[in-house]
Amino acid sequence: MATDAMSRISGGDSAPGPSALKALADAAYRPYWLDDPGRPRPRPALVGEERCDLLVVGGGYSGLWTALIAKERDPDREVVLVEGQEIGWAASGRNGGFCAASLTHGLGNGAARWPDELAELERLGHRNLDAIESAVERYGIDCDFERTGEIDVATAPHQVAELRETVEQAGALGLEPPEFLDRDAVRAEVDSPTFLAGLWDRRGVAMVHPARLAWGLARACAELGVRIYEHTPAERLASTGPAMAVRTPYGRVRAREVALATNAFPALVRRVRPYIAPVYDHALMTEPLTEEQLDAIGWRRRQGLSDTANHFHYFRLTADRRILWGGYDIIYRYGGRVRAEYDHHPATYRTLAQHFFQCFPQLEGVRFSHAWGGAIDTCSRFSAFFGSAHGGRVTYALGYTGLGVGATRFGAEVMLDLLAGERTERTRLEMVRSKPLPFPPEPVRWAGIGITQWSMTRADENGGRRNLWLKAMDKVGLGFDS
């Protein structure tokens, strides 16, 4: 099998029209969020030996929240953070900027996996989002934080029925249901001829500038005394008596405790690696809309949006009135490789551009300014899992499957609870104490992901009907998503 083989899905769409291709002509192949004049200069790499109480490996949201909360809990704790590239360079600077309260990848997934805990998980998730909003205000983080909520939209008749079932399910569980919007109501919020209905979660999702959130968290960490080193990949983890040692290219860190926040990248605890399948997600960003273009689609309340297909799109407005349009394709590289050359995929950009103009024909002539991609740490239960190693001196939180903008703060608290050996409302959860099913080894993993993607596409095309393969995967609790 070729080493660059990949599993992907693009739904068998027809070739994009000339207007979609023309819209891509001037797009820059780099993340819009990182293409920011306010991007801070990277900090120096670690040279020599460092000693600390807590070493955090990874400079995305997961690591930054861990370092920040560790200092908030104990200002005297010596905390060091190492990042292999630059702060916010990976998923934290490439995502859509949807900061969700959900810890379980939606109500349906949570109800299927932890029905007895769902009310508690929902409460903790909303408290976590409130805490993020509070931290943004407390530390003066300029990241365009907007508590606009999100509308899940139906674009096929069977999805309308699924939205109504979600409302009923929330009520049956004693939870406040999202607001159902019929065709006219959803199009009054955002006007697309493809929208048939919607569910508006008014308070459970915020929009943020994701890279500025990461940079602001790093600044807050540094102000509290966290020592941050960039361009310092952690190469090896080993126990050295009472301490842990992490080798870097130009030095070493000896720490009493270590929190691993590496997400889609290979975990330093090797036994964790089978639980993660890195997948590539891609997005486009338009040029700023004119007042007339914005009037043509409405969208005055700036909610985030996502359709409800298996292979879904997510889309939102930026502070300068651009539309981010992402998702749909899921690309898995054989062997779970994560490489910079995989960040861009022109075939996916063409598909996304075609779908954009199908959704918003009123915006014919709009151009895309940026196109980019990045790796997501998906796991088989679609939400994070947690654990410890080396006698409890090392913890990890991985597998956020697209929910990391918000859920990483919760994961940071879990990692710190585990390091402290504390039994808390978080560590008592079955969600925290259990693991997802691991993905099988190659080549079974690659083939299984390909079959699953094909089956998900067929379900989207056949009124949501799931074939025997997907039903079997549902039964054993093994899934694949982004």
Side-chain angles (χ1 to χ4, degrees):
M1 183 175 293
T3 58
D4 64 348
M6 62 184 178
S7 289
R8 70 180 296 269
I9 194 71
S10 60
D13 298 279
S14 58
S19 60
L21 295 177
K22 185 177 180 181
L24 290 165
D26 300 319
Y29 273 20
R30 56 182 180 268
Y32 166 78
W33 308 115
L34 298 177
D35 194 14
D36 188 308
R39 184 174 183 174
R41 294 183 62 182
R43 297 166 177 83
L46 171 66
V47 176
E49 183 161 305
E50 261 279 21
R51 293 176 181 268
C52 60
D53 298 317
L54 172 65
L55 170 64
V56 179
V57 178
Y61 300 136
S62 184
L64 292 167
W65 281 118
T66 303
L68 184 68
I69 296 170
K71 290 296 284 186
E72 289 177 335
R73 290 187 180 186
D74 180 1
D76 294 328
R77 179 185 288 182
E78 285 194 289
V79 180
V80 168
L81 183 149
V82 296
E83 160 57 36
Q85 294 286 334
E86 297 178 12
I87 296 296
W89 163 84
S92 297
R94 297 167 185 263
N95 62 81
F98 287 65
C99 188
S102 177
L103 304 175
T104 63
H105 214 286
L107 187 66
N109 190 55
R113 297 182 187 278
W114 306 287
D116 296 336
E117 291 184 347
L118 188 58
E120 176 71 356
L121 288 166
E122 288 289 300
R123 183 186 69 81
L124 290 171
H126 281 271
R127 191 177 74 182
N128 182 66
L129 181 56
D130 291 341
I132 292 172
E133 184 172 16
S134 177
V136 166
E137 181 178 351
R138 183 167 67 255
Y139 292 109
I141 299 174
D142 179 15
C143 63
D144 301 330
F145 189 97
E146 299 179 272
R147 197 85 175 250
T148 59
E150 179 181 9
I151 301 176
D152 291 333
V153 296
T155 57
H158 73 274
Q159 295 169 9
V160 178
E162 291 171 354
L163 294 184
R164 292 189 183 277
E165 290 171 4
T166 298
V167 173
E168 295 172 0
Q169 184 180 41
L173 292 166
L175 303 172
E176 182 179 353
E179 180 182 352
F180 181 82
L181 306 175
D182 63 17
R183 179 181 178 277
D184 291 340
V186 71
R187 291 190 62 174
E189 294 296 329
V190 185
D191 189 15
S192 167
T194 67
F195 293 175
L196 303 180
L199 282 187
W200 187 359
D201 178 356
R202 287 179 176 265
R203 291 288 297 167
V205 182
M207 298 293 106
V208 300
H209 184 304
R212 289 184 186 172
L213 175 59
W215 299 332
L217 289 172
R219 174 183 55 78
C221 285
E223 289 173 352
L224 293 183
V226 177
R227 300 193 293 276
I228 300 174
Y229 298 94
E230 297 180 68
H231 295 290
T232 303
E235 297 178 333
R236 184 170 176 269
L237 171 70
S239 176
T240 59
M244 299 301 303
V246 171
R247 176 69 61 184
T248 69
Y250 308 127
R252 183 175 68 165
V253 183
R254 289 173 59 86
R256 186 166 54 86
E257 297 170 333
V258 178
L260 299 178
T262 51
N263 297 316
F265 296 90
L268 292 177
V269 176
R270 296 187 66 88
R271 69 170 182 265
V272 176
R273 295 182 184 182
Y275 294 102
I276 294 294
V279 298
Y280 278 83
D281 180 54
H282 296 83
L284 305 176
M285 186 71 84
T286 71
E287 62 189 355
L289 300 187
T290 66
E291 196 67 35
E292 293 74 21
Q293 289 167 333
L294 192 58
D295 284 342
I297 58 173
W299 213 345
R300 293 298 177 180
R301 292 198 258 198
R302 302 178 55 81
Q303 309 95 328
L305 285 96
S306 174
D307 64 55
T308 56
N310 288 310
H311 293 293
F312 60 92
H313 308 84
Y314 54 88
F315 38 118
R316 49 78 54 98
L317 287 170
T318 65
D320 60 350
R321 300 192 308 195
R322 300 169 186 262
I323 296 177
L324 179 145
W325 179 264
Y328 193 70
D329 269 2
I330 305 169
I331 299 176
Y332 171 75
R333 300 283 180 167
Y334 184 82
R337 297 178 179 88
V338 180
R339 294 177 179 170
E341 59 263 34
Y342 298 158
D343 288 345
H344 300 293
H345 200 255
T348 295
Y349 299 150
R350 294 193 298 269
T351 298
L352 285 172
Q354 178 190 11
H355 291 177
F356 177 86
F357 291 110
Q358 289 171 350
C359 182
F360 294 123
Q362 314 96 302
L363 298 182
E364 183 73 25
V366 167
R367 308 281 285 234
F368 296 105
S369 64
H370 294 75
W372 73 93
I376 292 174
D377 58 332
T378 193
C379 73
S380 64
R381 72 183 193 187
F382 313 143
S383 53
F385 64 93
F386 315 90
S388 60
H390 292 277
R393 292 179 292 171
V394 176
T395 57
Y396 54 84
L398 302 165
Y400 289 97
T401 317
L403 289 181
V405 182
T408 45
R409 187 193 175 280
F410 175 82
E413 291 203 287
V414 171
M415 284 196 284
L416 292 170
D417 290 350
L418 292 173
L419 286 172
E422 296 175 350
R423 184 168 174 80
T424 68
E425 60 185 347
R426 291 173 290 269
T427 60
R428 284 193 294 266
L429 293 168
E430 175 63 21
M431 176 193 177
V432 170
R433 293 185 291 109
S434 63
K435 294 283 194 300
L437 287 175
F439 291 104
E442 301 290 14
V444 177
R445 175 189 290 209
W446 183 84
I449 288 173
I451 295 169
T452 301
Q453 293 188 93
W454 177 86
S455 298
M456 291 165 68
T457 302
R458 300 288 81 78
D460 283 338
E461 296 171 347
N462 295 315
R465 291 185 292 275
R466 297 172 76 79
N467 63 15
L468 292 176
W469 176 268
L470 291 180
K471 289 178 180 178
M473 295 297 100
D474 293 341
K475 188 172 183 179
V476 300
L478 184 64
F480 180 79
D481 203 354
S482 69

